[in-house]
Structure formats: C-alpha cells, structure tokens
Amino acid sequence: MDSGPVLNQGWGYGLIIGLGVLFAVFMIVITWSLKRYNYELQTSEMFSTAGRTLKSGLVATSVTSTWTWAATLLQSSAVAYKYGVSGPFWYASGATVQIILFATLAIELKRRAPNAHTFLEVVKARYGPTTHMVYIVFCCFCNILVTAMLLTGGSAVINNLTGAPVAAAVFLFPLGVVAYTLFGGIKATFITDYINSMVIILIIFLFSFTVYATNDILGSPGRVWEILTKLAAERPLDGNAGGSYLTMKSQGGAEFFIINIVGNFGTVFLDNGYYNKAISASPVDALPGYVMGGIAWFAIPWLTATTMGLAGLALEQYPVWPTYPNRLPKADVDAGLVLPNAAVALLGQGGGIATLFLAFMAIMSTYSSELIAVSSIVTYDIYKTYINPNATGKQLMRVNYIGMVCFALFMAAFATALYYIGISMGYLYVMMGVIISSAVLPATLTLLWADQSWAAATFAPIIGFICSVTSWLVRTKIVYGELTVETTGSNDPMLVGNIVSLLSPVVVIPLLTYPPPFKPQKYDWQSMLNIRKVDDHDIADEAHIDLERVPGEHRPTGIDPEQEQVKLAKAAKIARWLTVGLTLSLLVLWPMPMFGSGYIFSKGFFTGWVVVGILWLFVSTGICVFLPLFESRSTIARTTRMMFKDLLGLGKGGRKMEETEGEVVEAAPGTETPTKEKLADVGVKSAD
C-alpha cells in the first residue's frame, strides 16, 4: 500500500494557520465580553492568575487538557504497539499519580503563599536569590523539554499525514496560540482547554467505537483479542508472559513504567504551569480540581492507546495498513506515528483529518500553558525581582508579552534543530526525568518541610543532575560500547539515569541538613505570607475602571481569613489521605496482582477491560464538559442575557450591567463603582 501522505499539504497549513486564527479571534471576542459584561480587566494579576477565582470544574478540565500532551496520545499508542495491553495502563497510571499527588502541593501553596504568582517566588521568599536562580534553571529546562516534545511530536504527525515540512510546522504552529494567549492570558488557556478537552474526548470516542463496534476487520473487543492471540502465536513478544500481547507482565512495559513515573514527576512538580493553575483556583476548589483532573485524565491515554496501539498491531497484517506488508519502522514508532497510521487504516482520509485535529488540540492547550508559565517566570522571577522591583502593572504586562514571543521563537528554532539532528519526541520523553527530576524532592519539601536547609535546597538538584547524567551515559557505554542517539535512548540506560535523578536527593538532602556544619532551617513560613499582589491601578486608571470592581482584586465581604485558613488546613489533611489512597490503587492494588501472576487476558476479561475504559471516558466527559457548564451556569446565563439585550438595542446606549449586593444594576461602561444615588436611580435599595 502507498505509504505517502494521505492528505495534501493544504490540510496541514490550513489547520495550523486557520484554527490558530480562529482561536485568536475567539479569544478577542471572549476578552471583550468579559470586560464588558463581567467587569474583567486584563491587568497583570488577571493575566497571570485569572483573579484566583476559578472553580473546580474548570480547573479539572484545564489540568486534564494541559496534561494531554501530543505524547499522551502518540507515545501511549506507541508503547501499546511495543509492549501490548500493559503499555497503555503503565503510561496512564505512571502519569496520573503525579497530578493527584500534586493536589497536596496545590493546597499547601494556597495556604503558605496565597498571593504568589509563581512557585519560584515561594523559593525566593524562603531561601533567597541563589536557590531561586537554581530553580529558575530547572523550571525553564522543564518548560523547554515539554514544549520541544509538543512541537516535535505534532510536526511529525503533520508531516506524516500531509507532507508539510517540519520546519514550517514548528514555526507556523505557535502563531495562533501566541496570539490568543497574548489577548486572554491564563484565562485564555482555561477557556481553550475546555474546548480542546471536548474535541479530544469526542475524537477518542470516534476511534474507540470504530475499532470495537463498527470496523469491518475488527469491530469488537473479541475480534481484536482473537487477532492479537494469533499474532502472539506467530510472533511472540520477547519479555512478555507467554509471548502474549494481552498480559500485564511485560519486562519492556515495566521498564517504561518506571521511566515514565520518574520523568513525569519532574514535568508536573517543576512545571510552573501547574502551579499557575493552582494559584488561579479559588482556595476551596484547588483540591477537588486537581483530584478530578487526574481521575478524568487517566481514561484518555488508557483508552486511546488500548484502542489505537492495539488496532495498529492487529491491522498491520492487512492491506489497509499504510506500510503493508512491512511493519512500521522503529524510527516512526518512536516519533509517535502509530496512532496516525492506525487512524488512516481505520477511517482513510477521515482518520487522517481526525488525527490532525486531535494532535492540534492536544498541542495547543499545553503549548499555551507553557507560554504563560515561562512568561510568568520572566516577568515576576526575573524582571520584577532583579531588574525593576517597583514595576507597574503596565510594565509587567509588556514584559509578559515580550517573554512569550521570545520563548515561542526560541522553541521553534530549537525544535527544528532537534528534528535535523534526529532527536524525536519519544527520545525526549524518556530523557526528561534524567535532566530535571533531581529537583522534584527539594522543590516539594520547600512547601512541606520546615527543616530542609538552604544547602539541601540549593545543592541537591545540582548534585542529583550531575549523578543522573553521569550514570545514564556510563551505563550506555558499558552496555552498548558507544554513545549514539539510539543507544542513549534505550530503556536500560534511561532507566538508570531516571532512577538516580529522582532518588539521589533522598540521600543528599539529609546529608546537607543534619550533620554539622549544616543544620535544620526551622522555617516559620512567614516570608511566603509576605508575598504581595501587584498594584495594577495604572492599567485600571487608563481604562477608567475602578480596580476594586475587577474580579480577584479585592477580598469579598464576609470571608474571614482565619476561617479560610482552617478550611485549607482541613483540605490539606484530606488531600494527603486521598492522594495516597488513589496512588496505591493505581500503582499497586490494581496492576500488581496481574503483573505478578503473569495473567494472560481471556476474551471475556479483555472485553470487560475495554468496556471499563469506555465507561471511564464517559466519567471524564462529565467532569470536563458538563461540570464546568453547571458551575458557571449563572454567569453564562447572565452574560448571554445581557448580550442579547445589547443586540436588541435594550442595553440603553451600550451601558453594561454590574452585579452589586446580589442585584444586577446598570452602569456606564468603565466608570466608578455605583453610588447609593445611582443605585436609587435604577430602583435598587442600598444596603444601609
């Protein structure tokens, strides 16, 4: 079968540019509507924190969407193709627990530093500028690696399906994302995350029902089981129990699981984007938002890979497979091209188009989050901290814009360079833990442990990085005798490097905390509480808007700070028990009995496995699609009603509506807070 591009280049360019422009226009309209009808102004605080008022449903949706990288869909399908049915589960469980465990840090961040803009501000408040600089480097490494994976994986899919050059894809793709993020700030990422999650879930349902219900060759879980059972008899999979593709006992799958879980600790706990989302949530919504986000996300890679990765194994024996009669080359598997080839085999050009949309949505939400993460670091941790401590809101907004554009250009050039030297998304995915995971434990203890010393926080990441890179390369040389992209990217050396990176601080931190001349810090948490919001009065004054009316710029009446802290302390206790319970369930109680016993799935068990995955995705749909709508129903109804009044000319000369004392009143656009006299004019009683 012809293995050339199934679509012409117009599809690639049209998707990259057209959807980017569409989302940019959409965010311009949304930003204007929020300003006019919800009294939201794009201040530096709103740009970076969304007013710290977001509800749990939107937080869960955003976490789910942001954690759905291109690798979530492409790499998970690749490991299913390599290791069979164990690959999707090891991928999903090995990357879900970090989000669930992060819920504990999200609560602690809200308790310890309620006014912080980035996690790095917290590091600076506790340990000072030297430690601050160390973590800036590690967090930026994290953002660079994640964005590089997005661009290399996405451009490979676009190139495979349309033939559009990789270099063109990585430079053109960021245009629309940068544009809408510039207009909408972090709130733009939350709103587009909602749309992205909805589209991604719909496409996964399409693929799942095609493979397991309607396809002529496959069409049911039982038929897939039969083909994979026959395949194991003809071509047993080395390292799997009985050579089967239908068992959790897989040596390669287990090695990938460890690499996966270690690397993903770094990309969650060191990605400022996840702290941004925790900061943007209202205090009581951070915990449920992250827990629900983790639970909702689990179904996405698990069902996607169980569907598309196993479909790839089953269909490559038939002429519909794009490379038939040959298997997919290893380089293409590592580049994440199992899913697009399976989609084309299942649905032809329609499958190619669906995959383009799937990849675009997955890349767009995370890319936008990375832009905000890096621009926040540049703005608050570099510019405001070391260059202009008295910066105004307007100056900070300008730096946000500059940082975002510069990062986008740098990453486009960097991703192009990676492509030409042969570094794929799969290589970056297994390498990321080696580079950044040594900073996970000291970063976590910055918020959780009062005794961690300055020396431990500062030097443990550096020592761990040196040890991990050394062990990775030495192990490669010992096992393979040479250092190449292929040998350094193998499971064995990557496993060693990842484990050393994550666990070396377990030894280093106590050694740099307790033995003389070191000593425990006995930190009192006060300097974190002293972090203050930015004064955005210059932006509000220029817009002729009372800053006190902007959401998030004032504390609502009736909220006692002490009561809020009591609630957060209670939530922190719940978070610890809940996250530990869910982690043990996903990593031990569910998979390990099947792994230890070497159980090979029967036809009935595999059918139930697939059905549970589909039902779980329905739960994800409820969390990511319907819960945000339910929580925001009042705001949506009020805004829609006022927009219709404007369209029908009932808005009294373009006057907008405001909510005061629980009542909706009219106010001239951009003017001061309504006075008692103005309230009386429109028939609303004052509170006196």
Side-chain angles (χ1 to χ4, degrees):
M1 182 176 176
D2 181 18
S3 59
V6 70
L7 302 169
N8 61 50
Q9 289 191 14
W11 275 101
Y13 290 122
L15 187 78
I16 294 170
I17 299 172
L19 276 184
V21 170
L22 181 64
F23 270 90
V25 172
F26 176 71
M27 278 316 305
I28 292 171
V29 173
I30 289 291
T31 303
W32 174 85
S33 300
L34 290 173
K35 180 179 177 181
R36 178 172 177 82
Y37 301 112
N38 208 37
Y39 220 82
E40 290 189 9
L41 177 66
Q42 197 65 285
T43 63
S44 64
E45 285 285 332
M46 181 63 72
F47 189 88
S48 300
T49 70
R52 307 169 200 263
T53 59
L54 297 180
K55 296 182 182 297
S56 57
L58 197 55
V59 173
T61 302
S62 185
V63 168
T64 302
S65 181
T66 301
W67 200 217
T68 305
W69 304 348
T72 301
L73 308 167
L74 304 177
Q75 182 73 358
S76 63
S77 298
V79 295
Y81 184 84
K82 289 180 180 179
Y83 310 123
V85 75
S86 69
F89 187 91
W90 292 133
Y91 187 102
S93 63
T96 297
V97 295
Q98 294 86 350
I99 293 295
I100 293 173
L101 289 171
F102 188 82
T104 300
L105 274 192
I107 289 295
E108 293 299 338
L109 182 62
K110 303 296 283 186
R111 288 179 63 207
R112 310 291 193 194
N115 295 321
H117 306 87
T118 69
F119 166 70
L120 294 168
E121 283 186 317
V122 171
V123 175
K124 168 70 164 55
R126 178 168 178 175
Y127 293 116
T130 302
T131 314
H132 186 221
M133 285 296 182
V134 170
Y135 285 87
I136 285 177
V137 171
F138 275 92
C139 287
C140 287
F141 277 172
C142 175
N143 296 129
I144 289 168
L145 284 170
V146 171
T147 308
M149 277 188 281
L150 296 174
L151 293 177
T152 54
S155 60
V157 170
I158 292 171
N159 175 260
N160 176 261
L161 291 174
T162 70
V166 169
V170 297
F171 272 95
L172 290 174
F173 177 81
L175 291 179
V177 183
V178 171
Y180 80 69
T181 309
L182 285 173
F183 277 105
I186 195 170
K187 197 146 196 176
T189 73
F190 280 95
I191 294 170
T192 53
D193 283 348
Y194 175 81
I195 298 170
N196 293 338
S197 295
M198 183 167 57
V199 174
I200 288 169
I201 288 172
L202 286 173
I203 294 174
I204 295 172
F205 272 129
L206 169 67
F207 287 156
S208 300
F209 286 121
T210 299
V211 169
Y212 293 120
T214 65
N215 184 257
D216 292 336
I217 298 173
L218 305 178
S220 71
R223 178 58 181 154
V224 174
W225 181 90
E226 290 170 0
I227 294 174
L228 294 180
T229 300
K230 181 181 177 184
L231 181 64
E234 297 172 353
R235 193 181 69 214
L237 185 58
D238 290 340
N240 279 28
S244 175
Y245 295 86
L246 295 162
T247 178
M248 290 294 292
K249 189 165 188 177
S250 167
Q251 180 182 340
E255 290 174 351
F256 171 79
F257 167 64
I258 298 171
I259 295 170
N260 186 43
I261 197 170
V262 172
N264 282 312
F265 267 110
T267 52
V268 172
F269 284 64
L270 294 177
D271 189 340
N272 192 52
Y274 292 98
Y275 291 98
N276 285 151
K277 290 177 179 10
I279 290 166
S280 300
S282 71
V284 297
D285 289 305
L287 171 61
Y290 271 86
V291 172
M292 288 191 297
I295 291 171
W297 182 85
F298 180 89
I300 291 175
W302 183 34
L303 184 59
T304 300
T306 300
T307 299
M308 304 305 283
L310 298 186
L313 282 171
L315 290 173
E316 66 182 0
Q317 305 172 68
Y318 294 87
V320 294
W321 186 249
T323 62
Y324 179 82
N326 301 315
R327 297 200 70 193
L328 203 61
K330 183 180 183 300
D332 286 356
V333 176
D334 290 340
L337 299 182
V338 173
L339 187 149
N341 279 276
V344 171
L346 289 165
L347 297 167
Q349 283 195 343
I353 294 169
T355 302
L356 281 179
F357 273 92
L358 191 69
F360 186 88
M361 294 297 174
I363 296 165
M364 182 168 62
S365 59
T366 309
Y367 190 88
S368 178
S369 177
E370 295 304 305
L371 288 174
I372 292 290
V374 172
S375 70
S376 297
I377 292 172
V378 172
T379 301
Y380 294 102
D381 292 291
I382 298 176
Y383 179 74
K384 190 174 188 301
T385 300
Y386 299 109
I387 299 174
N388 186 4
N390 298 316
T392 63
K394 198 170 184 180
Q395 290 172 322
L396 294 176
M397 288 293 291
R398 188 180 302 119
V399 175
N400 261 314
Y401 296 154
I402 294 171
M404 202 176 291
V405 172
C406 290
F407 180 68
L409 290 172
F410 167 76
M411 285 311 308
F414 183 60
T416 303
L418 291 175
Y419 169 74
Y420 283 110
I421 63 177
I423 302 296
S424 67
M425 177 198 68
Y427 186 94
L428 293 172
Y429 188 87
V430 293
M431 184 192 70
M432 61 188 177
V434 177
I435 304 300
I436 62 176
S437 288
S438 61
V440 169
L441 186 58
T444 303
L445 295 179
T446 298
L447 279 170
L448 297 181
W449 189 37
D451 283 356
Q452 180 174 245
S453 69
W454 175 88
T458 305
F459 295 113
I462 299 171
I463 294 171
F465 171 76
I466 294 170
C467 292
S468 64
V469 172
T470 302
S471 60
W472 167 44
L473 297 178
V474 168
R475 182 64 179 171
T476 304
K477 185 69 174 177
I478 290 172
V479 174
Y480 299 101
E482 60 179 350
L483 300 177
T484 65
V485 171
E486 183 176 356
T487 59
T488 57
S490 301
N491 272 4
D492 190 316
M494 284 293 188
L495 181 64
V496 172
N498 274 272
I499 291 175
V500 170
S501 182
L502 184 66
L503 297 184
S504 57
V506 174
V507 176
V508 174
I509 289 173
L511 290 177
L512 296 180
T513 297
Y514 290 112
F518 308 110
K519 61 180 181 179
Q521 189 183 40
K522 306 296 182 185
Y523 182 59
D524 64 4
W525 310 106
Q526 187 57 47
S527 60
M528 292 184 186
L529 287 170
N530 292 337
I531 298 172
R532 291 290 174 258
K533 294 181 181 180
V534 173
D535 184 355
D536 282 310
H537 276 90
D538 58 326
I539 297 176
D541 292 343
E542 187 175 286
H544 306 294
I545 289 178
D546 183 356
L547 192 63
E548 290 298 308
R549 297 292 297 165
V550 177
E553 292 291 345
H554 70 288
R555 177 178 290 275
T557 57
I559 294 182
D560 184 352
E562 291 186 6
Q563 289 182 352
E564 191 172 90
Q565 284 297 316
V566 169
K567 289 181 180 178
L568 286 172
K570 182 178 179 181
K573 292 179 182 178
I574 295 172
R576 292 188 184 101
W577 286 105
L578 183 61
T579 54
V580 169
L582 288 170
T583 299
L584 288 175
S585 298
L586 291 174
L587 299 186
V588 180
L589 298 179
W590 185 354
M592 288 308 169
M594 288 186 288
F595 179 84
S597 65
Y599 175 68
I600 297 174
F601 290 13
S602 66
K603 182 185 289 190
F605 190 90
F606 179 69
T607 300
W609 189 264
V610 171
V611 169
V612 170
I614 293 173
L615 291 176
W616 199 315
L617 192 63
F618 275 107
V619 174
S620 302
T621 304
I623 293 172
C624 296
V625 177
F626 296 108
L627 181 59
L629 291 177
F630 177 78
E631 289 182 334
S632 302
R633 62 194 183 281
S634 298
T635 301
I636 293 171
R638 185 178 68 249
T639 303
T640 304
R641 184 171 63 249
M642 290 189 288
M643 291 179 74
F644 271 111
K645 284 187 175 182
D646 269 2
L647 289 172
L648 296 174
L650 302 176
K652 298 190 178 180
R655 295 162 70 86
K656 71 169 176 275
M657 310 295 286
E658 294 181 5
E659 192 173 0
T660 303
E661 298 294 329
E663 296 283 314
V664 176
V665 299
E666 294 175 352
T671 59
E672 72 281 4
T673 305
T675 62
K676 295 179 183 178
E677 290 77 12
K678 290 180 180 177
L679 293 173
D681 288 342
V682 294
V684 178
K685 273 188 178 179
S686 82
D688 295 336

